[in-house]
Amino acid sequence: MTRQSVLEPNSLPGMGPDETFPIETLPMSDTQIAAIAIEKAYAKGRIEVPVLRGVDVRIRHGEFLSIIGQSGSGKSTLLHLLGLLDAPDVGEIHLDGQRIDDLPARTRDELRNRVFGFVFQFYHLLPELSLLENVLSPLMIRHNLWGYWKHRHEYVDRARRMIERVGLGHRLTHRPSELSGGEMQRAAIARSLVAEPRILLADEPTGNLDAQTGQEIIDLLRQLNAEVGLTIVMVTHDPKIADQADRTVRLAEGRIQGLSEAA
Ligand code: ADP
Ligand code: MG
């Protein structure tokens, strides 16, 4: 299949979108990010173990999508592919109608830093840094020392605003070890947003939290989604968490199995 036909399934005579995409029917023009016929396998010793076996999923601008699947179903793998942290064996990732998975490594790095924010189950905060420094770290990494120094006041203001936004304004100088699990995840969310991404990719963001704290994190994600139109793709094994998104799809047997709109 040519690239054009992948982009515009309707343009192929005799092949409607239903045949090309049995599950997703969203027109490409409404799509912000899409995974198209994605395959990914890992080597286990000498055996190739297929994890994703033809994943099609499209995500709208400003949508809060959850992807539910059992442990080991490939959720993290798919999220990494969507966010250009890894490359598919087969298939394409598109952003705003442009293929992005085959761009030169440098362009992919830039795009990843500019477009995507990531939140993980275990926060991945740097233990030696204060909360404020952790939240600033993506800006320090993105800009060289001089560039950072020149804009440091603006960046610190922005980081403080993000920290206020996630409800941690009273914890600026605390180290991660002095924060609760919920506070660490809030800090990780502030850090993921400081570079003003358009799409937040959240990998089991409540997986390490008790039910109430997890719910507070979901409430925060919902607010960010509603207030600033941040697109969120969240993967989870927990139906109670998944159900709170606008739409849920299931990843099983290496494919997206179906979708449901939230009531
Ligand atoms: P999930 O996030 O749904 O629990 P993952 O995407 O982490 O699933 O993993 C899916 C499968 O791929 C698992 O069987 C896992 O062991 C395997 N896997 C994931 N990452 C790697 C890797 N880097 N090397 C080898 N196998 C991997
Ligand atoms: Mg995972």
Side-chain angles (χ1 to χ4, degrees):
M1 196 184 279
T2 66
R3 190 159 148 206
Q4 184 68 16
S5 68
V6 168
L7 261 173
E8 294 171 26
N10 291 309
S11 67
L12 274 184
M15 191 189 255
D18 287 352
E19 286 152 84
T20 320
F21 299 104
I23 290 159
E24 290 287 339
T25 52
L26 187 65
M28 265 299 180
S29 56
D30 292 347
T31 302
Q32 184 174 27
I33 182 153
I36 301 166
I38 293 290
E39 297 178 23
K40 182 79 181 174
Y42 291 112
K44 235 182 205 154
R46 277 203 237 133
I47 314 166
E48 284 260 295
V49 181
V51 176
L52 303 179
R53 301 191 292 179
V55 165
D56 288 306
V57 65
R58 300 183 194 177
I59 299 128
R60 294 181 182 91
H61 292 270
E63 183 174 33
F64 187 169
L65 176 79
S66 63
I67 300 174
I68 190 168
Q70 292 180 347
S71 177
S73 60
K75 303 184 295 299
S76 296
T77 301
L78 176 56
L79 215 56
H80 293 169
L81 295 174
L82 284 173
L84 305 181
L85 287 170
D86 199 359
D89 299 334
V90 176
E92 303 180 359
I93 306 294
H94 288 228
L95 176 72
D96 296 329
Q98 299 280 323
R99 186 172 180 187
I100 58 170
D101 62 283
D102 64 345
L103 295 170
R106 231 199 168 148
T107 318
R108 276 201 318 253
D109 291 346
E110 264 177 42
L111 206 58
R112 181 191 315 122
N113 293 331
R114 210 154 38 78
V115 174
F116 298 101
F118 294 90
V119 176
F120 303 98
Q121 179 176 355
F122 295 107
Y123 328 122
H124 298 321
L125 300 170
L126 295 167
E128 302 301 321
L129 301 186
S130 70
L131 167 55
L132 181 61
E133 290 162 343
N134 263 287
V135 172
L136 279 168
S137 62
L139 298 173
M140 293 179 174
I141 291 165
R142 191 208 278 194
H143 304 279
N144 60 33
L145 193 60
W146 171 240
Y148 178 79
W149 188 250
K150 222 170 44 175
H151 295 283
R152 68 191 183 285
H153 296 299
E154 175 199 333
Y155 292 160
V156 168
D157 277 351
R158 206 200 289 176
R160 281 172 180 268
R161 277 202 307 277
M162 286 322 309
I163 291 169
E164 294 277 345
R165 179 66 195 79
V166 301
L168 291 180
H170 55 307
R171 292 274 189 267
L172 285 180
T173 59
H174 287 239
R175 294 194 191 254
S177 61
E178 299 165 328
L179 300 175
S180 70
E183 288 175 331
M184 283 195 273
Q185 195 57 296
R186 286 172 188 276
I189 291 169
R191 179 186 54 187
S192 76
L193 298 179
V194 78
E196 299 176 334
R198 289 152 57 195
I199 302 169
L200 182 69
L201 302 173
D203 193 346
E204 309 253 14
T206 65
N208 204 38
L209 302 173
D210 63 72
Q212 190 191 324
T213 311
Q215 185 56 49
E216 288 166 11
I217 293 297
I218 296 299
D219 292 343
L220 175 61
L221 293 179
R222 287 210 59 94
Q223 284 164 19
L224 292 165
N225 171 251
E227 285 167 20
V228 294
L230 180 70
T231 304
I232 300 180
V233 183
M234 174 178 71
V235 306
T236 178
H237 66 276
D238 183 343
K240 279 206 208 86
I241 294 295
D243 282 352
Q244 300 188 58
D246 300 331
R247 184 164 70 96
T248 301
V249 296
R250 174 173 295 276
L251 181 62
E253 289 162 16
R255 292 195 184 84
I256 297 293
Q257 300 284 339
L259 82 177
S260 68
E261 303 287 339

